[in-house]
């Protein structure tokens, strides 16, 4: 697909500012001699517009990029509730310096109520979880905490149920996975624009980075692709095989989103399955690690030890946080090293206990296990990281720069 959006700019030739004398001369009874104007229309690539200060948006908030981002995940419930103060305090009192905050959450709701009259307000998707996002961001500015907006993209039960034409249909029903979640269709430009608009509004609020999550087809989609009903959109005439067509759609969305966000001077990051770096591409979900990495500022692999099966010769990865992360980092360094302009690597690390793995297969994660993962990254030249705990209960006493 063509990714270079064109903007028509009208240039006016031959128009000069009038001097004061000419203003007075206009009062004379003699008919003024109007000089003919010539109008020419030219097309400028959007990258040119993005580079021009005339097209830059200024949110009015200033955040310096840290020496290296060391961040935590913050739910909208935490960001809009009493817990936010303690999370700010955690960041202030440690080597942490960033927060990833839910702006569009896992079911598809916006986590705040957009201003009346805005395009987002008309959709009616806002939930008053973060009562005053601007005030929250102003507090982060004061505390010098780098703000990252998390936008869940294609996992979107709300939009799927509201507009079934944008999702995958199983007969007459909107398809759901075994967790009762629905996805919208990555082949459709309408879905891209919907999520890009949410990202733009987050940038206008003052966030300095947009982190796109669930930038993929549903897991196992290759086994359902022929059974479900859905549109291929602009990819209907693609000569690519089904796997490559999915890869094209996901990669094109990322490139498109980054281009659209350029005038807002925000970085763009994408969360991606860790195993995607170990394969040419993940066949069902459409994620090609290298192609996505070429189109973002930051790549955030989710490399929680608990989420790996026996891999890298490690039978029970959750029991060996240092080794698992170190082995992954070696692979990722090779893949990113082959790119002409590699993004910053900022993996997601585990700060939770995966007791669901069963006795003998998991550790109780705390200070030592979190530090082990960070050290494994640092030992392999990766300085940035994010910590995931779904309940935002982070381990105490951790040295985040071991």
């Amino acid at each position: 697909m063509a990714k270079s959006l064109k903007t028509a700019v009208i240039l006016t030739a031959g128009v000069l500012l009038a001097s004061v004398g000419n203003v007075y001369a206009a009062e004379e009874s003699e008919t003024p001699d109007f000089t003919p104007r010539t109008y020419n229309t030219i097309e400028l690539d959007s990258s040119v517009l993005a580079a021009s200060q005339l097209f830059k948006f200024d949110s009015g908030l200033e955040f310096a990029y840290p020496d290296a981002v060391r961040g935590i995940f913050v739910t909208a419930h935490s960001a809009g509730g009493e817990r936010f103060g303690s999370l700010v305090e955690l960041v202030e009192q440690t080597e942490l310096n960033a927060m990833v905050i839910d702006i569009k959450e896992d079911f598809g709701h916006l986590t705040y109520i957009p201003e009346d009259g805005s395009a987002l307000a008309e959709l009616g998707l806002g939930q008053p979880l973060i009562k005053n996002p601007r005030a929250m961001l102003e507090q982060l500015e004061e505390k010098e905490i780098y703000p990252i907006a998390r936008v869940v993209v294609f996992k979107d039960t709300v939009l799927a149920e509201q507009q079934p034409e944008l999702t995958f249909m199983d007969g007459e029903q909107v398809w759901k996975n075994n967790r009762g979640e629905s996805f919208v269709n990555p082949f459709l430009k309408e879905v891209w624009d919907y999520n890009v608009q949410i990202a733009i509004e987050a940038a206008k609020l003052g966030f300095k980075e947009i982190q796109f999550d669930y930038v993929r087809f549903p897991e196992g989609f290759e086994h359902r692709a022929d059974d479900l009903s859905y549109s291929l959109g602009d990819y209907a005439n693609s000569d690519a095989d089904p796997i490559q067509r999915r890869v094209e759609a996901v990669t094109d969305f990322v490139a498109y989103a980054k281009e659209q966000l350029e005038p807002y001077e925000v970085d763009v990051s994408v969360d991606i399955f860790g195993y995607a770096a170990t394969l040419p591409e993940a066949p069902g979900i459409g994620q090609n690690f290298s192609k996505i990495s070429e189109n973002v500022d930051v790549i955030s692999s989710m490399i929680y030890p608990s989420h790996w099966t026996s891999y890298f010769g490690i039978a029970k990865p959750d029991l060996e946080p240092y080794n698992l992360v170190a082995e992954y980092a070696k692979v990722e360094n090779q893949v990113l090293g082959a790119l002409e302009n590699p993004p910053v690597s900022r993996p997601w690390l585990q700060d939770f206990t995966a007791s669901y793995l069963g006795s003998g297969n998991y550790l109780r994660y705390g200070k030592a296990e979190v530090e082990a993962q960070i050290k494994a990254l640092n030992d392999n030249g990766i300085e940035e990281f994010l910590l995931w705990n779904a309940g935002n209960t982070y381990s105490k006493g951790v040295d985040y720069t071991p």
Side-chain angles (χ1 to χ4, degrees), residues 147-167:
I148 303 169
R150 178 175 180 253
V151 175
V152 175
V153 181
F154 297 123
K155 187 172 81 164
D156 192 330
T157 303
V158 173
L159 183 60
E161 291 180 347
Q162 284 189 351
Q163 299 191 52
E165 71 276 11
L166 300 181
T167 186

Side-chain angles (χ1 to χ4, degrees), residues 151-399:
V151 175
V152 175
V153 181
F154 297 123
K155 187 172 81 164
D156 192 330
T157 303
V158 173
L159 183 60
E161 291 180 347
Q162 284 189 351
Q163 299 191 52
E165 71 276 11
L166 300 181
T167 186
F168 305 100
M169 299 296 292
D170 187 3
E172 298 298 317
Q173 303 295 320
V174 172
W175 175 81
K176 297 181 184 297
N177 62 19
N178 57 13
R179 291 183 294 275
E181 303 160 334
S182 296
F183 279 64
V184 286
N185 187 350
F187 286 125
L188 299 181
K189 179 80 164 17
E190 299 97 314
V191 174
W192 297 9
D193 285 329
Y194 173 80
N195 283 282
V196 166
Q197 185 59 48
I198 290 170
I200 287 173
E201 293 302 318
K204 288 180 177 179
L205 284 172
F207 283 95
K208 291 305 294 178
E209 181 173 319
I210 306 300
Q211 182 188 92
F212 291 116
D213 199 358
Y214 286 87
V215 186
R216 60 177 178 82
F217 286 78
E219 291 174 80
F221 187 77
E222 68 271 31
H223 304 303
R224 299 300 308 273
D226 295 334
D227 301 329
L228 300 174
S229 300
Y230 55 94
S231 171
L232 291 175
D234 292 341
Y235 296 86
N237 296 321
S238 171
D239 293 330
D241 63 44
I243 291 175
Q244 290 304 316
R245 192 153 45 189
R246 290 192 286 272
V247 168
E248 284 180 0
V250 169
T251 305
D252 288 350
F253 164 74
V254 175
Y256 176 76
K258 188 173 190 305
E259 183 179 62
Q260 294 299 299
L261 285 162
E262 282 177 359
Y264 300 91
E265 296 195 293
V266 290
D267 282 346
V268 172
S269 57
V270 163
D271 297 335
I272 190 168
F273 280 138
Y275 78 84
T278 71
L279 304 169
E281 49 223 354
I285 62 176
Q287 286 187 340
N288 180 302
F289 188 89
S290 295
K291 290 180 178 179
I292 290 175
S293 294
E294 287 173 332
N295 289 286
V296 293
D297 301 293
V298 179
I299 192 76
S300 288
S301 291
M302 298 172 285
I303 58 173
Y304 320 118
S306 62
H307 282 37
W308 297 81
T309 56
S310 179
Y311 224 89
F312 305 120
I314 304 171
K316 298 180 178 181
D318 197 63
L319 304 182
E320 301 185 43
Y322 179 91
N323 291 335
L324 185 283
V325 171
E327 290 303 315
Y328 170 81
K330 292 172 187 174
V331 172
E332 185 189 85
N333 284 340
Q334 277 192 320
V335 176
L336 293 183
L339 303 181
E340 185 175 345
N341 295 300
V344 171
S345 172
R346 188 196 298 153
W348 279 103
L349 302 180
Q350 177 174 331
D351 193 358
F352 59 88
T353 296
S355 56
Y356 55 82
L357 294 175
S359 179
N361 297 310
Y362 74 93
L363 290 178
R364 185 161 297 283
Y365 271 54
K367 169 181 163 63
E369 291 72 27
V370 173
E371 289 179 358
Q373 295 172 85
I374 297 170
K375 189 173 188 305
L377 290 180
N378 294 169
D379 288 348
N380 286 277
I382 299 173
E383 301 299 326
E384 302 202 1
F385 65 86
L386 300 169
L387 295 177
W388 180 271
N389 181 290
N392 299 165
T393 304
Y394 294 98
S395 298
K396 298 183 183 301
V398 175
D399 179 358

